[in-house]
């Protein structure tokens, strides 16, 4: 089946966001396990910059639609693929938004590599004073569980791409690396 080419912009956005999300999830898990608080500013800075790229991808995806399937697989496979694609898009939006909301509501403010965008809310003891502790906790929980949902969606997405390539022998994966 002949595949409609994916634009260089779409490929660049896909792979940049994929690398960024996988890297940030890995860094987030490392920070959670080791309590490496010194890495939080790097994590938040990269996440905020990546969110700009994610926003561009969402606009492109919603304006162009999804690439046409080049697989002749059963309807249930197409339904699972659609679900996973939406989970990835929504997860990559919810993840940075919940992190941003957590940072703001917990009084940490927003900065990109030390450049303050929104000043923090310093407390009496030098630690940030929460603006809304309940909302900060909710945002933190959403951020945490969305990370795990994204891991599951990424695993399914990669498994699907490998199935297309190795089992079906179609051009789905080749198309996303610009080789179809």
């Amino acid at each position: 089946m002949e595949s409609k080419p994916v634009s260089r912009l779409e490929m660049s956005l896909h792979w940049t966001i994929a690398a960024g999300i996988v890297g940030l999830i890995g860094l987030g898990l490392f920070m959670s396990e080791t309590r490496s608080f010194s890495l939080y500013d790097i994590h938040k800075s990269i996440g905020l910059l990546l969110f700009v790229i994610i926003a561009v991808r969402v606009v492109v995806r919603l304006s162009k639609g999804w690439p046409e399937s080049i697989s002749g697989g059963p309807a249930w496979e197409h339904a699972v693929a659609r679900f996973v694609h939406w989970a990835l898009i929504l997860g990559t939006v919810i993840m940075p938004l919940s992190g941003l909301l957590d940072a703001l509501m917990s009084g940490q403010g927003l900065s990109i590599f030390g450049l303050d965008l929104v000043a923090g809310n310093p407390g009496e003891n030098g630690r940030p004073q929460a603006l809304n502790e309940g909302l900060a906790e909710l945002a933190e929980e959403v951020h945490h569980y969305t990370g795990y949902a994204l891991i599951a969606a990424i695993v399914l997405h990669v498994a699907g791409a490998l199935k297309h390539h190795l089992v079906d022998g179609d051009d789905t994966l080749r198309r996303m690396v610009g080789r179809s």
Side-chain angles (χ1 to χ4, degrees):
M1 189 182 274
E2 184 70 24
S3 68
K4 179 180 162 189
V6 175
S7 73
R8 291 241 180 256
L9 174 62
E10 289 172 289
M11 282 187 282
S12 297
L13 291 170
H14 175 274
W15 292 110
T16 300
I17 293 166
I21 290 291
V22 168
L24 285 170
I25 288 174
L27 181 58
L29 291 170
F30 175 80
M31 291 183 321
S32 295
E33 290 297 315
T34 64
R35 306 311 243 174
S36 301
F37 297 112
S38 63
L39 298 173
Y40 276 85
D41 286 337
I42 293 168
H43 180 80
K44 291 187 291 186
S45 295
I46 294 170
L48 196 53
L49 291 172
L50 188 61
F51 183 57
V52 173
I53 299 168
I54 290 166
V56 170
R57 178 146 199 254
V58 169
V59 168
V60 168
R61 178 59 58 232
L62 293 177
S63 66
K64 287 189 74 173
W66 302 99
E68 294 174 25
S69 175
I70 56 178
S71 170
W76 70 266
E77 280 185 7
H78 291 282
V80 170
R82 235 182 339 273
F83 174 80
V84 170
H85 283 120
W86 275 107
L88 289 167
I89 288 284
L90 291 173
T92 59
V93 169
I94 292 168
M95 200 66 175
L97 282 179
S98 60
L100 183 135
L101 187 60
D102 179 23
L104 289 173
M105 293 299 106
S106 64
Q108 297 173 41
L110 287 179
S111 65
I112 296 177
F113 299 110
L115 174 66
D116 284 337
L117 303 176
V118 177
N121 187 27
E124 294 176 17
N125 60 1
R127 296 183 67 178
Q129 176 69 39
L131 299 175
N132 185 322
E133 198 169 308
L135 198 49
E137 288 175 8
L138 175 62
E140 182 180 12
E141 290 293 309
V142 168
H143 194 70
H144 177 83
Y145 288 110
T146 301
Y148 286 109
L150 267 173
I151 290 169
I154 290 166
V155 167
L156 286 171
H157 186 63
V158 170
L162 291 173
K163 183 223 177 250
H164 278 288
H165 190 70
L166 299 173
V167 176
D168 299 341
D170 66 33
D171 285 340
T172 301
L173 185 57
R174 285 184 204 89
R175 177 172 66 180
M176 277 314 295
V177 296
R179 303 250 165 113
S180 64

